[in-house]
Amino acid sequence: MKIVLPLIIIALSIYKVLASFLLDEKQGVLFDMKINIWVYRVIWVIAGLSFAYNLFKIYKDKKRFGV
């Protein structure tokens, strides 16, 4: 379960950022608020990178402890 959630969030963030570029959106909707598209993209990139880092730490700890 520790690995599934970060993978889902990483995939979702990649999808959201790519879709915002491909659909040429002008505004993003986050928590029912319309925000600037660049702020929307940055939020999703930060979310994806933070979960990727978390996943990296999980794999690094497993490798170190031999689990």
Side-chain angles (χ1 to χ4, degrees):
M1 189 63 181
K2 280 185 172 180
I3 296 172
V4 175
L5 182 63
L7 288 176
I8 291 172
I9 298 296
I10 292 167
L12 184 63
S13 66
I14 291 171
Y15 170 75
K16 290 287 193 175
V17 171
L18 288 178
S20 71
F21 277 109
L22 294 175
L23 297 176
D24 196 28
E25 296 177 343
K26 302 297 179 200
Q27 292 180 336
V29 178
L30 190 65
F31 301 118
D32 290 334
M33 294 184 331
K34 291 184 180 180
I35 57 174
N36 185 344
I37 193 64
W38 287 103
V39 174
Y40 178 78
R41 290 173 183 156
V42 167
I43 290 170
W44 278 108
V45 166
I46 290 172
L49 289 176
S50 66
F51 276 92
Y53 178 70
N54 186 22
L55 192 62
F56 173 74
K57 283 182 15 181
I58 290 171
Y59 280 122
K60 186 177 170 185
D61 289 342
K62 280 186 178 181
K63 190 174 182 181
R64 182 174 7 152
F65 294 120
V67 177

PDB file of all heavy atoms in Angstrom, residues 33-53:
ATOM      1  N   MET A  33     -12.004  25.927  -7.599  1.00  0.00           N
ATOM      2  CA  MET A  33     -11.561  27.311  -7.832  1.00  0.00           C
ATOM      3  C   MET A  33     -10.802  27.346  -9.145  1.00  0.00           C
ATOM      4  O   MET A  33      -9.999  26.463  -9.432  1.00  0.00           O
ATOM      5  CB  MET A  33     -10.622  27.790  -6.715  1.00  0.00           C
ATOM      6  CG  MET A  33     -11.264  27.925  -5.377  1.00  0.00           C
ATOM      7  SD  MET A  33     -10.186  28.604  -4.096  1.00  0.00           S
ATOM      8  CE  MET A  33      -8.557  28.122  -4.553  1.00  0.00           C
ATOM      9  N   LYS A  34     -11.053  28.357  -9.940  1.00  0.00           N
ATOM     10  CA  LYS A  34     -10.295  28.535 -11.169  1.00  0.00           C
ATOM     11  C   LYS A  34      -9.019  29.306 -10.839  1.00  0.00           C
ATOM     12  O   LYS A  34      -9.066  30.360 -10.212  1.00  0.00           O
ATOM     13  CB  LYS A  34     -11.114  29.305 -12.200  1.00  0.00           C
ATOM     14  CG  LYS A  34     -12.278  28.524 -12.739  1.00  0.00           C
ATOM     15  CD  LYS A  34     -13.002  29.287 -13.810  1.00  0.00           C
ATOM     16  CE  LYS A  34     -14.153  28.471 -14.335  1.00  0.00           C
ATOM     17  NZ  LYS A  34     -14.880  29.176 -15.384  1.00  0.00           N
ATOM     18  N   ILE A  35      -7.893  28.727 -11.236  1.00  0.00           N
ATOM     19  CA  ILE A  35      -6.609  29.368 -10.961  1.00  0.00           C
ATOM     20  C   ILE A  35      -5.808  29.459 -12.259  1.00  0.00           C
ATOM     21  O   ILE A  35      -6.127  28.798 -13.255  1.00  0.00           O
ATOM     22  CB  ILE A  35      -5.799  28.612  -9.887  1.00  0.00           C
ATOM     23  CG1 ILE A  35      -5.562  27.158 -10.303  1.00  0.00           C
ATOM     24  CG2 ILE A  35      -6.478  28.655  -8.546  1.00  0.00           C
ATOM     25  CD1 ILE A  35      -4.651  26.398  -9.363  1.00  0.00           C
ATOM     26  N   ASN A  36      -4.781  30.276 -12.230  1.00  0.00           N
ATOM     27  CA  ASN A  36      -3.898  30.433 -13.372  1.00  0.00           C
ATOM     28  C   ASN A  36      -3.339  29.065 -13.767  1.00  0.00           C
ATOM     29  O   ASN A  36      -2.966  28.264 -12.922  1.00  0.00           O
ATOM     30  CB  ASN A  36      -2.768  31.394 -12.991  1.00  0.00           C
ATOM     31  CG  ASN A  36      -1.864  31.719 -14.150  1.00  0.00           C
ATOM     32  OD1 ASN A  36      -1.855  31.043 -15.170  1.00  0.00           O
ATOM     33  ND2 ASN A  36      -1.097  32.782 -13.981  1.00  0.00           N
ATOM     34  N   ILE A  37      -3.245  28.815 -15.071  1.00  0.00           N
ATOM     35  CA  ILE A  37      -2.835  27.502 -15.547  1.00  0.00           C
ATOM     36  C   ILE A  37      -1.404  27.163 -15.137  1.00  0.00           C
ATOM     37  O   ILE A  37      -1.082  26.006 -14.867  1.00  0.00           O
ATOM     38  CB  ILE A  37      -3.029  27.379 -17.078  1.00  0.00           C
ATOM     39  CG1 ILE A  37      -2.912  25.926 -17.530  1.00  0.00           C
ATOM     40  CG2 ILE A  37      -2.062  28.260 -17.819  1.00  0.00           C
ATOM     41  CD1 ILE A  37      -3.958  25.019 -16.994  1.00  0.00           C
ATOM     42  N   TRP A  38      -0.540  28.171 -15.050  1.00  0.00           N
ATOM     43  CA  TRP A  38       0.844  27.902 -14.652  1.00  0.00           C
ATOM     44  C   TRP A  38       0.942  27.544 -13.176  1.00  0.00           C
ATOM     45  O   TRP A  38       1.743  26.697 -12.793  1.00  0.00           O
ATOM     46  CB  TRP A  38       1.749  29.074 -15.003  1.00  0.00           C
ATOM     47  CG  TRP A  38       1.984  29.122 -16.482  1.00  0.00           C
ATOM     48  CD1 TRP A  38       1.396  29.972 -17.375  1.00  0.00           C
ATOM     49  CD2 TRP A  38       2.817  28.248 -17.239  1.00  0.00           C
ATOM     50  NE1 TRP A  38       1.827  29.681 -18.634  1.00  0.00           N
ATOM     51  CE2 TRP A  38       2.701  28.629 -18.594  1.00  0.00           C
ATOM     52  CE3 TRP A  38       3.641  27.178 -16.914  1.00  0.00           C
ATOM     53  CZ2 TRP A  38       3.386  27.978 -19.603  1.00  0.00           C
ATOM     54  CZ3 TRP A  38       4.329  26.530 -17.935  1.00  0.00           C
ATOM     55  CH2 TRP A  38       4.198  26.930 -19.258  1.00  0.00           C
ATOM     56  N   VAL A  39       0.127  28.152 -12.359  1.00  0.00           N
ATOM     57  CA  VAL A  39       0.090  27.788 -10.936  1.00  0.00           C
ATOM     58  C   VAL A  39      -0.446  26.364 -10.797  1.00  0.00           C
ATOM     59  O   VAL A  39       0.073  25.568 -10.009  1.00  0.00           O
ATOM     60  CB  VAL A  39      -0.768  28.793 -10.134  1.00  0.00           C
ATOM     61  CG1 VAL A  39      -0.939  28.340  -8.699  1.00  0.00           C
ATOM     62  CG2 VAL A  39      -0.174  30.180 -10.208  1.00  0.00           C
ATOM     63  N   TYR A  40      -1.462  26.033 -11.567  1.00  0.00           N
ATOM     64  CA  TYR A  40      -2.048  24.695 -11.585  1.00  0.00           C
ATOM     65  C   TYR A  40      -1.002  23.653 -11.970  1.00  0.00           C
ATOM     66  O   TYR A  40      -0.869  22.619 -11.314  1.00  0.00           O
ATOM     67  CB  TYR A  40      -3.204  24.692 -12.586  1.00  0.00           C
ATOM     68  CG  TYR A  40      -3.917  23.383 -12.790  1.00  0.00           C
ATOM     69  CD1 TYR A  40      -4.844  22.927 -11.872  1.00  0.00           C
ATOM     70  CD2 TYR A  40      -3.684  22.610 -13.929  1.00  0.00           C
ATOM     71  CE1 TYR A  40      -5.516  21.741 -12.061  1.00  0.00           C
ATOM     72  CE2 TYR A  40      -4.345  21.425 -14.134  1.00  0.00           C
ATOM     73  CZ  TYR A  40      -5.265  20.991 -13.199  1.00  0.00           C
ATOM     74  OH  TYR A  40      -5.929  19.815 -13.396  1.00  0.00           O
ATOM     75  N   ARG A  41      -0.214  23.942 -13.013  1.00  0.00           N
ATOM     76  CA  ARG A  41       0.822  23.014 -13.457  1.00  0.00           C
ATOM     77  C   ARG A  41       1.915  22.861 -12.413  1.00  0.00           C
ATOM     78  O   ARG A  41       2.394  21.748 -12.170  1.00  0.00           O
ATOM     79  CB  ARG A  41       1.419  23.499 -14.767  1.00  0.00           C
ATOM     80  CG  ARG A  41       0.466  23.383 -15.931  1.00  0.00           C
ATOM     81  CD  ARG A  41       1.025  24.033 -17.166  1.00  0.00           C
ATOM     82  NE  ARG A  41       0.061  23.960 -18.260  1.00  0.00           N
ATOM     83  CZ  ARG A  41       0.046  24.790 -19.293  1.00  0.00           C
ATOM     84  NH1 ARG A  41       0.960  25.749 -19.380  1.00  0.00           N
ATOM     85  NH2 ARG A  41      -0.865  24.667 -20.226  1.00  0.00           N
ATOM     86  N   VAL A  42       2.313  23.957 -11.795  1.00  0.00           N
ATOM     87  CA  VAL A  42       3.361  23.903 -10.775  1.00  0.00           C
ATOM     88  C   VAL A  42       2.900  23.083  -9.575  1.00  0.00           C
ATOM     89  O   VAL A  42       3.670  22.293  -9.023  1.00  0.00           O
ATOM     90  CB  VAL A  42       3.790  25.329 -10.356  1.00  0.00           C
ATOM     91  CG1 VAL A  42       4.626  25.306  -9.095  1.00  0.00           C
ATOM     92  CG2 VAL A  42       4.547  26.005 -11.478  1.00  0.00           C
ATOM     93  N   ILE A  43       1.656  23.248  -9.173  1.00  0.00           N
ATOM     94  CA  ILE A  43       1.119  22.471  -8.046  1.00  0.00           C
ATOM     95  C   ILE A  43       1.179  20.979  -8.359  1.00  0.00           C
ATOM     96  O   ILE A  43       1.610  20.173  -7.525  1.00  0.00           O
ATOM     97  CB  ILE A  43      -0.320  22.915  -7.702  1.00  0.00           C
ATOM     98  CG1 ILE A  43      -0.291  24.304  -7.077  1.00  0.00           C
ATOM     99  CG2 ILE A  43      -1.006  21.910  -6.783  1.00  0.00           C
ATOM    100  CD1 ILE A  43      -1.652  24.935  -6.911  1.00  0.00           C
ATOM    101  N   TRP A  44       0.773  20.579  -9.564  1.00  0.00           N
ATOM    102  CA  TRP A  44       0.802  19.171  -9.926  1.00  0.00           C
ATOM    103  C   TRP A  44       2.222  18.648 -10.078  1.00  0.00           C
ATOM    104  O   TRP A  44       2.506  17.498  -9.725  1.00  0.00           O
ATOM    105  CB  TRP A  44      -0.006  18.914 -11.193  1.00  0.00           C
ATOM    106  CG  TRP A  44      -1.463  18.781 -10.895  1.00  0.00           C
ATOM    107  CD1 TRP A  44      -2.453  19.662 -11.185  1.00  0.00           C
ATOM    108  CD2 TRP A  44      -2.093  17.700 -10.197  1.00  0.00           C
ATOM    109  NE1 TRP A  44      -3.653  19.195 -10.712  1.00  0.00           N
ATOM    110  CE2 TRP A  44      -3.454  17.985 -10.107  1.00  0.00           C
ATOM    111  CE3 TRP A  44      -1.622  16.516  -9.644  1.00  0.00           C
ATOM    112  CZ2 TRP A  44      -4.368  17.134  -9.488  1.00  0.00           C
ATOM    113  CZ3 TRP A  44      -2.523  15.665  -9.017  1.00  0.00           C
ATOM    114  CH2 TRP A  44      -3.882  15.972  -8.948  1.00  0.00           C
ATOM    115  N   VAL A  45       3.125  19.463 -10.594  1.00  0.00           N
ATOM    116  CA  VAL A  45       4.523  19.028 -10.709  1.00  0.00           C
ATOM    117  C   VAL A  45       5.134  18.832  -9.325  1.00  0.00           C
ATOM    118  O   VAL A  45       5.833  17.838  -9.076  1.00  0.00           O
ATOM    119  CB  VAL A  45       5.343  20.038 -11.550  1.00  0.00           C
ATOM    120  CG1 VAL A  45       6.831  19.786 -11.404  1.00  0.00           C
ATOM    121  CG2 VAL A  45       4.932  19.962 -13.010  1.00  0.00           C
ATOM    122  N   ILE A  46       4.876  19.758  -8.412  1.00  0.00           N
ATOM    123  CA  ILE A  46       5.399  19.620  -7.044  1.00  0.00           C
ATOM    124  C   ILE A  46       4.821  18.375  -6.375  1.00  0.00           C
ATOM    125  O   ILE A  46       5.542  17.636  -5.694  1.00  0.00           O
ATOM    126  CB  ILE A  46       5.112  20.892  -6.227  1.00  0.00           C
ATOM    127  CG1 ILE A  46       5.983  22.035  -6.738  1.00  0.00           C
ATOM    128  CG2 ILE A  46       5.343  20.652  -4.741  1.00  0.00           C
ATOM    129  CD1 ILE A  46       5.655  23.376  -6.132  1.00  0.00           C
ATOM    130  N   ALA A  47       3.534  18.129  -6.565  1.00  0.00           N
ATOM    131  CA  ALA A  47       2.921  16.929  -5.984  1.00  0.00           C
ATOM    132  C   ALA A  47       3.562  15.667  -6.548  1.00  0.00           C
ATOM    133  O   ALA A  47       3.899  14.741  -5.803  1.00  0.00           O
ATOM    134  CB  ALA A  47       1.422  16.926  -6.245  1.00  0.00           C
ATOM    135  N   GLY A  48       3.750  15.625  -7.859  1.00  0.00           N
ATOM    136  CA  GLY A  48       4.367  14.459  -8.477  1.00  0.00           C
ATOM    137  C   GLY A  48       5.800  14.240  -8.038  1.00  0.00           C
ATOM    138  O   GLY A  48       6.208  13.115  -7.743  1.00  0.00           O
ATOM    139  N   LEU A  49       6.565  15.320  -7.974  1.00  0.00           N
ATOM    140  CA  LEU A  49       7.966  15.199  -7.561  1.00  0.00           C
ATOM    141  C   LEU A  49       8.103  14.797  -6.095  1.00  0.00           C
ATOM    142  O   LEU A  49       8.992  14.013  -5.739  1.00  0.00           O
ATOM    143  CB  LEU A  49       8.713  16.508  -7.816  1.00  0.00           C
ATOM    144  CG  LEU A  49       8.978  16.839  -9.282  1.00  0.00           C
ATOM    145  CD1 LEU A  49       9.631  18.205  -9.400  1.00  0.00           C
ATOM    146  CD2 LEU A  49       9.822  15.775  -9.941  1.00  0.00           C
ATOM    147  N   SER A  50       7.228  15.318  -5.245  1.00  0.00           N
ATOM    148  CA  SER A  50       7.318  14.955  -3.832  1.00  0.00           C
ATOM    149  C   SER A  50       6.964  13.485  -3.619  1.00  0.00           C
ATOM    150  O   SER A  50       7.613  12.795  -2.818  1.00  0.00           O
ATOM    151  CB  SER A  50       6.428  15.855  -2.976  1.00  0.00           C
ATOM    152  OG  SER A  50       5.069  15.649  -3.276  1.00  0.00           O
ATOM    153  N   PHE A  51       5.983  12.979  -4.343  1.00  0.00           N
ATOM    154  CA  PHE A  51       5.645  11.567  -4.212  1.00  0.00           C
ATOM    155  C   PHE A  51       6.703  10.684  -4.867  1.00  0.00           C
ATOM    156  O   PHE A  51       6.957   9.571  -4.398  1.00  0.00           O
ATOM    157  CB  PHE A  51       4.259  11.278  -4.787  1.00  0.00           C
ATOM    158  CG  PHE A  51       3.152  11.554  -3.815  1.00  0.00           C
ATOM    159  CD1 PHE A  51       2.531  12.786  -3.780  1.00  0.00           C
ATOM    160  CD2 PHE A  51       2.742  10.592  -2.914  1.00  0.00           C
ATOM    161  CE1 PHE A  51       1.522  13.052  -2.874  1.00  0.00           C
ATOM    162  CE2 PHE A  51       1.724  10.842  -2.005  1.00  0.00           C
ATOM    163  CZ  PHE A  51       1.121  12.077  -1.985  1.00  0.00           C
ATOM    164  N   ALA A  52       7.345  11.170  -5.934  1.00  0.00           N
ATOM    165  CA  ALA A  52       8.440  10.414  -6.549  1.00  0.00           C
ATOM    166  C   ALA A  52       9.613  10.327  -5.584  1.00  0.00           C
ATOM    167  O   ALA A  52      10.257   9.273  -5.465  1.00  0.00           O
ATOM    168  CB  ALA A  52       8.857  11.076  -7.853  1.00  0.00           C
ATOM    169  N   TYR A  53       9.906  11.403  -4.887  1.00  0.00           N
ATOM    170  CA  TYR A  53      10.977  11.392  -3.898  1.00  0.00           C
ATOM    171  C   TYR A  53      10.636  10.434  -2.749  1.00  0.00           C
ATOM    172  O   TYR A  53      11.495   9.685  -2.282  1.00  0.00           O
ATOM    173  CB  TYR A  53      11.220  12.801  -3.365  1.00  0.00           C
ATOM    174  CG  TYR A  53      12.286  12.868  -2.305  1.00  0.00           C
ATOM    175  CD1 TYR A  53      13.616  12.671  -2.638  1.00  0.00           C
ATOM    176  CD2 TYR A  53      11.965  13.107  -0.976  1.00  0.00           C
ATOM    177  CE1 TYR A  53      14.608  12.716  -1.664  1.00  0.00           C
ATOM    178  CE2 TYR A  53      12.947  13.157  -0.003  1.00  0.00           C
ATOM    179  CZ  TYR A  53      14.262  12.964  -0.357  1.00  0.00           C
ATOM    180  OH  TYR A  53      15.230  13.001   0.608  1.00  0.00           O
TER     181      TYR A  53
END
